[in-house]
Amino acid sequence: MRVQMLGLCRFSYVGLRGYQVEHDSVAARRDYLYDPQRLARRWLWFTKVALPAWQAQTDPDFTLVVMTGPDLPDPYLSGLRDLARQIPQLKLELIPPMDYHLAACKEAVLPHIDHSADVIGHFRHDDDDAVAFDYVAATRKDFNRVKALWKTTERLSLDYARGLMLKAGPDGVSLTPRICHNMGVALTIFLRPDVPETALNYDHSKLPLWMPGVAVTKPLMFIRSIHRDSDSGDMGPGLPWDVKGQQLERQLQRRFGFTLDGLNDLARQLG
């Protein structure tokens, strides 16, 4: 079965609903998202944390749709246009403000569905999180192992649950190893190509209501960032796992290309 890996990353999209931090009007939402200092911080998160691993995926056969508004201020809109020209997998979608967030996400994602694929692996990715270099390759391999389960309902979630919670402050970062199920990052939802739905159709915290799920608890697959601009600053439920010192440094470098010194420097830049 041929699987298309198709993701959505929202970059300061001005629209109502769909986030934990809500606003009463599009104007209030725009003022919040387009605050110059906030945009500068989000750009650092996106380009220094989220983007590097997508550029270095061991399996480059995927599409990542970056969704923002047509009035995103420069230099950020120009910067996204440049990145879309440089990175074949990155597709920029400029979606005007919409009252219903799910409809906006569909407008961004559905034009990129490959209807010749047998299955679409939908994923969402926040602009301040990171996945490991082999996320796409591992997802394809593991889906092939459980595709018989997908065939029973033609809906299936595949959750890479082992991650690091990165808390960033003015003095640097702290990293908490956690096994967290259905966090939203490194989580793939497999649907037929003719189904007009995306990963955003399903509340990731309630996925068992709609589909069977498979949790893969090794290897380390994601970093979730928690900071003052996070939509949710809650670490959420999970189980601890032990990694520290030089072993943690090796995992950061091998899985994501990061160093602890580099992450601390980024946190200090972010203030």
Side-chain angles (χ1 to χ4, degrees):
M1 301 180 74
R2 191 168 73 83
V3 176
Q4 180 195 15
M5 291 292 291
L6 177 59
L8 175 66
C9 179
R10 301 165 293 179
F11 186 84
S12 296
Y13 169 67
V14 176
L16 301 182
R17 304 174 177 85
Y19 295 93
Q20 294 193 38
V21 177
E22 293 283 4
H23 295 88
D24 294 330
S25 68
V26 168
R29 185 78 179 156
R30 180 181 287 107
D31 288 344
Y32 169 75
L33 293 177
Y34 289 177
D35 173 79
Q37 292 185 349
R38 182 189 181 279
L39 274 177
R41 293 192 297 269
R42 297 309 296 205
W43 186 254
L44 279 175
W45 280 112
F46 180 60
T47 56
K48 302 299 184 183
V49 174
L51 197 57
W54 290 117
Q55 293 179 272
Q57 284 294 301
T58 59
D59 181 348
D61 184 12
F62 68 92
T63 297
L64 181 65
V65 177
V66 177
M67 167 183 165
T68 192
D71 62 346
L72 180 72
D74 276 330
Y76 307 107
L77 184 54
S78 296
L80 289 176
R81 292 187 192 276
D82 289 342
L83 288 171
R85 284 191 289 266
Q86 297 164 16
I87 303 169
Q89 297 89 347
L90 195 153
K91 307 299 181 185
L92 181 61
E93 286 288 346
L94 305 181
I95 307 298
M98 297 176 67
D99 288 341
Y100 291 94
H101 192 71
L102 182 56
C105 293
K106 285 184 176 181
E107 188 168 326
V109 173
L110 295 185
H112 298 278
I113 284 182
D114 179 357
H115 289 277
S116 68
D118 299 300
V119 185
I120 311 298
H122 290 275
F123 59 91
R124 59 195 293 176
H125 190 79
D126 287 348
D127 61 8
D128 54 359
D129 293 339
V131 293
F133 294 139
D134 60 348
Y135 163 68
V136 172
T139 300
R140 278 207 169 89
K141 178 187 68 177
D142 288 331
F143 175 77
N144 194 52
R145 292 172 172 173
V146 298
K147 61 186 178 184
L149 182 59
W150 177 82
K151 290 178 180 179
T152 63
T153 61
E154 297 183 324
R155 284 181 171 83
L156 176 72
S157 66
L158 179 63
D159 169 36
Y160 289 106
R162 185 172 296 248
L164 296 170
M165 300 297 183
L166 184 156
K167 286 192 174 181
D171 298 322
V173 301
S174 65
L175 293 165
T176 303
R178 301 275 281 184
I179 295 174
C180 304
H181 294 295
N182 295 337
M183 283 296 299
V185 57
L187 171 67
T188 310
I189 294 173
F190 297 93
L191 303 171
R192 296 194 321 268
D194 61 332
V195 173
E197 297 173 353
T198 76
L200 276 295
N201 279 83
Y202 300 96
D203 182 338
H204 58 84
S205 68
K206 300 176 182 178
L207 281 176
L209 291 174
W210 300 292
M211 66 188 72
V214 175
V216 181
T217 56
K218 288 184 179 180
L220 170 62
M221 195 61 84
F222 71 85
I223 294 175
R224 179 171 178 252
S225 300
I226 301 171
H227 48 88
R228 62 175 171 174
D229 293 318
S230 298
D231 188 50
S232 171
D234 184 8
M235 191 179 298
L239 300 170
W241 62 281
D242 187 44
V243 60
K244 62 186 70 172
Q246 291 185 348
Q247 185 184 10
L248 175 58
E249 287 270 15
R250 286 193 297 269
Q251 291 261 4
L252 277 174
Q253 181 67 47
R254 188 173 75 248
R255 302 293 294 156
F256 307 98
F258 298 146
T259 65
L260 190 56
D261 285 344
L263 290 174
N264 282 326
D265 287 345
L266 174 63
R268 286 189 282 269
Q269 286 183 60
L270 291 162

